[in-house]
């Protein structure tokens, strides 16, 4: 069985946001065993899995990525959409646009300290579209 739905995540400010609960709220009942693939339909935001307990992780990740890929570099050609746009594209490419998570016992089989993050790299990215594909039995 395959099932696919599309939904929007609420707009978030620039940063790393734990969205596991928000994603689960949009999903139908999960199969006993299977896979969930999440795909973000944007080029300036990303999805990743990381620690879900200490909020300092989110702050530190934002600081790390802002040091790795800075705004207003003189060699950027793609600048018409604002200082945060080209860095957002680069950061999104580094992290990626999809996740695949195992489903076991009708639940996401994440580790104890793992959660799904929306990595919002624009200052005003707006609602982000997610395609969720569920495969399982």
């Amino acid at each position: 069985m395959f099932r696919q739905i599309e939904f929007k995540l609420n707009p978030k400010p620039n940063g790393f946001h734990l969205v596991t609960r928000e994603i689960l709220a949009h999903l139908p009942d999960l199969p006993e065993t299977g896979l969930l693939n999440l795909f973000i339909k944007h080029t300036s935001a990303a999805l990743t899995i990381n620690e879900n307990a200490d909020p300092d992780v989110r702050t530190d990740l934002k600081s790390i990525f802002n040091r790795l890929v800075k705004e207003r570099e003189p060699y950027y050609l793609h600048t018409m959409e604002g200082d945060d746009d080209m860095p957002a594209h680069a950061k999104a490419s580094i992290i990626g646009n999809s996740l695949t998570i195992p489903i076991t016992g009708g639940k996401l089989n994440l580790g104890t300290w793992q959660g799904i993050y929306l990595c919002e790299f624009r200052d005003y990215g707006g609602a982000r579209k997610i395609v969720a594909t569920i495969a399982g039995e």
Side-chain angles (χ1 to χ4, degrees):
M1 168 203 76
F2 280 89
R3 193 153 179 209
Q4 191 170 79
I5 61 168
E6 187 170 326
F7 57 89
K8 291 181 181 179
L9 295 176
N10 292 324
K12 310 273 190 287
N14 184 304
F16 288 75
H17 305 279
L18 194 56
V19 293
T20 310
R21 286 189 185 132
E22 187 177 354
I23 287 172
L24 287 171
H26 289 282
L27 299 179
D29 289 339
L30 297 174
E32 186 65 21
T33 304
L35 294 171
L36 169 66
N37 179 268
L38 298 170
F39 176 80
I40 189 165
K41 295 176 68 172
H42 300 275
T43 60
S44 57
L47 296 172
T48 194
I49 294 174
N50 216 303
E51 176 163 335
N52 65 1
D54 186 350
D56 288 344
V57 170
R58 290 171 258 166
T59 302
D60 289 346
L61 283 170
K62 182 177 178 181
S63 296
I64 289 165
F65 272 83
N66 285 342
R67 287 177 191 233
L68 284 173
V69 183
K70 296 177 175 63
E71 292 185 1
R72 295 178 292 286
E73 292 291 359
Y75 51 84
Y76 291 158
L77 300 177
H78 180 73
T79 58
M80 303 255 323
E81 295 178 53
D83 289 339
D84 65 336
D85 191 43
M86 188 59 231
H89 294 311
K91 292 171 187 177
S93 289
I94 291 168
I95 291 183
N97 56 16
S98 68
L99 299 172
T100 300
I101 303 166
I103 300 168
T104 306
K107 298 182 187 297
L108 297 183
N109 195 344
L110 293 166
T112 301
W113 306 111
Q114 289 182 320
I116 303 168
Y117 281 34
L118 168 67
C119 312
E120 178 56 69
F121 299 122
R122 296 297 308 265
D123 292 334
Y124 306 101
R128 297 302 194 168
K129 295 178 190 171
I130 305 290
V131 177
T133 304
I134 302 164
E137 50 186 66

